[in-house]
Amino acid sequence: MVSKLFRIDCGYQNYDWGKIGSSSSVAQFAASSNPSTEIDESKPYAELWMGTHPNVPSTIVDDAALQGQVLRLVVEQHPEYVGSSLIDKFGGKVQLPFLFKVLSIQKALSIQAHPDIPLAKVLHANDPKHYPDDNHKPEMAIAVTEFEGFCGFKPLDQLSKTLATVPELNEIIGGDLVQEFTKNVVPDAEEGSQQDTANRKLLQKVFGKLMNSPDSVIEAQAKKMVERAQNDPAVFDQLDSRLAKLIVRLNEQFPNDIGLFCGCLLLNHVELNPGEAMYLGAKDPHAYISGNIIECMAASDNVVRAGFTPKFKDVENLVNMLTYSYAPIERQKMPLLPFSRSQGDAKTSVLYDPPIAEFAVLQTIFDTNGGKQHFDAFNGPSIVIATKGNGTIAIEGSTEPQVFKQGYVYFIAPGTSVELVGNAGEEFTTYRAFAE
Ligand code: 9C2
Ligand code: ZN
């Protein structure tokens, strides 16, 4: 193995919904990492990609032997950077099993869901242009600032109430189907029971009806609903005191869009405080609305979209694929777990550990006292980013710590114990994604 700890410079995506110019933490981090980055103040900077996905490469800096090389290719030539047990576990792929990102969100992302592995294989085989790889993409979002998003279908009783309360939705779905849904769903059915299956079928029928309605119908009803939200917000207050404002706000971003119905009315509107996280498994509908987040996912870029987007939409696959789970949103929130393999002066070093093998994320925060934090060796590769403040990082015992500024990203090889040092006088925060 050449080097066990080196800095990487990561590429980014200028998707429409990103924060603009240097107001975006993606742009700030990119410019900090590579001072020759010219930030275009008229452009959105949406996602920083840290990893080995071929769409956006990470490149090695500050390493005499590897300088300028693409991380993906270096990893391919040095399987020990992944480790044989992980390579076997993930079907022989000599790549990082995860993709790590920073998202800086100005306006809503698409209403979307990600496939599981069997579906990803089919989508990729049939339409490689829109489904660029054959992997699943379970993901986790950790709020860095206050965050807002849509996540999962609302509970069934709330959906019944919504269908009864919002005349425009009622008209799109049609009185007969609304009645069929409202009369037959059993909100507290046991998960996995026959009734649960029946509930999900009914929900799919309603969602399918909405998503397959002609554009002209959606547009006309959206106009009426937005007017109602502006002039008679009390109607929406019966459902959620935030709803009328949300409809008006998202209509400014995507006028008369189907997302006003399928997102604002049918999905949970979730708010996370900094440090809180949620996990989205395969086939869970979601859309992020605002905030800065750290996102980690299996190494994939497969997205099935159906609203709030100028990108390719695939309504048929979206309607067919969803689980139609209506479990309480609390189940998707992630606990912050203690992590005994990290010891020292940091204020916190906590683990977000979703129920999948591809990744976990460790958040470490030093307060203004600074100090040193030790991390035992991980049995797999990891990538760590500093999102706030400045410090240093070193292989344990090394006399040459490396500067670790906000926006810098390091790759740490399997089996490497490291130390982070936070400077006194400022807070220092890092996020480290890893697989074992
Ligand atoms: O990159 C999303 C970004 O595809 N977030 O959203 O641009 O497709 O609307 P758009 C993906 C991101 O990692 C994600 O899955 N939930
Ligand atoms: Zn997503």
Side-chain angles (χ1 to χ4, degrees), residues 329-379:
I329 179 69
E330 277 61 41
R331 263 208 245 158
Q332 286 179 280
K333 289 199 182 165
M334 301 288 311
L336 281 67
L337 304 171
F339 190 69
S340 62
R341 289 184 284 156
S342 160
Q343 317 94 29
D345 305 322
K347 185 176 79 174
T348 55
S349 195
V350 290
L351 184 71
Y352 302 87
D353 194 12
I356 43 147
E358 277 88 348
F359 63 86
V361 174
L362 187 61
Q363 178 210 52
T364 303
I365 302 178
F366 292 86
D367 61 20
T368 51
N369 292 322
K372 186 185 276 187
Q373 187 79 3
H374 167 89
F375 299 83
D376 296 349
F378 292 178
N379 188 22

Side-chain angles (χ1 to χ4, degrees), residues 109 112-114 137 139 280 286 288 295 303:
L109 280 67
Q112 58 184 258
H114 307 293
K137 187 176 178 288
E139 64 195 13
L280 295 151
H286 58 281
Y288 302 159
E295 208 193 29
V303 191

Side-chain angles (χ1 to χ4, degrees), residues 33-174:
S33 169
N34 181 356
S36 72
T37 309
E38 279 180 30
I39 301 176
D40 181 337
E41 294 298 343
S42 65
K43 262 197 187 169
Y45 290 78
E47 296 188 354
L48 188 77
W49 284 36
M50 303 171 274
T52 55
H53 196 282
N55 287 11
V56 181
S58 297
T59 313
I60 297 166
V61 277
D62 291 354
D63 182 273
L66 300 173
Q67 178 123 24
Q69 295 191 41
V70 172
L71 181 64
R72 178 183 178 80
L73 303 177
V74 169
V75 165
E76 255 167 29
Q77 286 153 14
H78 297 277
E80 64 274 25
Y81 277 144
V82 184
S84 54
S85 57
L86 276 188
I87 293 173
D88 291 347
K89 194 161 165 182
F90 296 111
K93 284 183 193 165
V94 187
Q95 291 305 330
L96 301 189
F98 58 84
L99 174 59
F100 199 28
K101 294 183 181 175
V102 174
L103 271 61
S104 203
I105 306 160
Q106 181 67 35
K107 60 178 196 174
L109 280 67
S110 53
I111 306 275
Q112 58 184 258
H114 307 293
D116 60 9
I117 291 177
L119 179 61
K121 286 194 191 311
V122 173
L123 293 175
H124 179 62
N126 294 342
D127 186 357
K129 182 172 163 231
H130 294 117
Y131 299 106
D133 55 73
D134 63 359
N135 204 4
H136 65 163
K137 187 176 178 288
E139 64 195 13
M140 180 170 71
I142 306 173
V144 173
T145 61
E146 277 169 11
F147 165 85
E148 221 186 333
F150 293 123
C151 170
F153 285 102
K154 289 180 180 168
L156 297 174
D157 49 353
Q158 283 183 35
L159 289 173
S160 292
K161 196 170 170 197
T162 305
L163 287 162
T165 308
V166 183
E168 293 77 20
L169 179 65
N170 195 300
E171 263 187 58
I172 295 172
I173 304 302

